[in-house]
Amino acid sequence: LTASDDCTVRVWDAAEKARPMLRVLKHHKRPVAAVRVHAGGQLFVTGSWDGVVKLWENVGPDAKVLQTLFTGLPALRDVGLAPTMVQTVACAAVDGRVRLYDMASQQEIVTLNDPVILGYKPNPTQSIAFSPKGDLVASCDVDGGFGVFRACTTGQTLVKVTGHSAAATAVSFAPSGKVLATVSADSEVKFWNSEKPQPTAVHGALCTGVHYAPD
């Protein structure tokens, strides 16, 4: 699955070399910023620049929209689907806030990095990720900041540090849920355990994405 600024989501067959593209999904009216597949492999979620989130079933040519959420937010930068609660979606918008929504009720659950609670305005968020158990949400921002929040109605902040010297572009939880990786425009890959960064790996060029293998 790929998200595109032509307002489409495209379904591909990685094993097919001659005609790898299986279908073009034209259900968004603005550029699609993100697509995330649920841990179960049968559902996925997309988010677009007009603040619309769509929940889909069937990761393949038979994909169809199950639910549409109109958040009313400015352009979305990333979305995530809770591994244990398929009706709970996380949204990161250009205003820097990370919010949880219930797809069924169409209601916001909580703003995880609420500026009233934090005491400052959050920087624009680049990437978000749920932990494997769905109890935590990690985010990273344009100033190299990195945060971990409880995915609950209180949105408790567990970790908030500046981990990179340039924009942090992506974050990913390890399958254990105990370690995270962040990458950045500073060419570094950093591994985190609680509040302490582990030894740093240098990529050698601007890093834009990171993801752990399932094992």
Side-chain angles (χ1 to χ4, degrees):
L1 296 171
T2 56
S4 175
D5 63 3
D6 65 359
C7 308
T8 68
V9 175
R10 296 173 187 255
V11 183
W12 305 81
D13 184 349
E16 178 59 56
K17 295 182 179 180
R19 301 183 64 181
M21 190 170 66
L22 300 178
R23 187 180 172 193
V24 180
L25 307 175
K26 301 179 180 180
H27 290 69
H28 282 282
K29 296 182 179 179
R30 295 294 305 277
V32 184
V35 56
R36 293 291 186 103
V37 178
H38 184 255
Q42 297 301 311
L43 302 173
F44 65 98
V45 64
T46 56
S48 62
W49 287 8
D50 55 4
V52 174
V53 178
K54 292 183 181 290
L55 177 65
W56 307 68
E57 69 173 350
N58 300 325
V59 181
D62 298 325
K64 63 180 181 180
V65 176
L66 289 178
Q67 292 173 311
T68 299
L69 171 67
F70 298 93
T71 66
L73 299 176
L76 297 179
R77 299 296 298 269
D78 201 2
V79 292
L81 197 57
T84 56
M85 300 173 289
V86 295
Q87 293 293 333
T88 301
V89 62
C91 300
V94 293
D95 65 359
R97 303 184 189 188
V98 179
R99 300 170 173 89
L100 297 185
Y101 287 88
D102 179 72
M103 292 291 292
S105 66
Q106 303 279 297
Q107 298 296 313
E108 179 181 333
I109 300 171
V110 65
T111 298
L112 297 180
N113 55 348
D114 191 328
V116 175
I117 297 175
L118 295 177
Y120 58 86
K121 182 179 179 181
N123 295 311
T125 302
Q126 296 280 81
S127 176
I128 54 177
F130 273 101
S131 64
K133 292 183 179 179
D135 58 333
L136 303 175
V137 176
S139 70
C140 60
D141 62 44
V142 296
D143 279 1
F146 161 68
V148 178
F149 310 90
R150 288 202 185 280
C152 60
T153 55
T154 61
Q156 178 187 2
T157 303
L158 301 180
V159 177
K160 190 66 178 79
V161 295
T162 299
H164 292 274
S165 59
T169 52
V171 59
S172 179
F173 275 94
S176 67
K178 298 179 180 180
V179 179
L180 300 96
T182 57
V183 297
S184 168
D186 63 10
S187 304
E188 291 187 335
V189 181
K190 288 191 174 182
F191 301 95
W192 303 84
N193 184 349
S194 185
E195 299 181 4
K196 297 181 180 180
Q198 300 302 301
T200 299
V202 179
H203 190 276
L206 185 152
C207 301
T208 57
V210 62
H211 192 74
Y212 275 93
D215 56 356

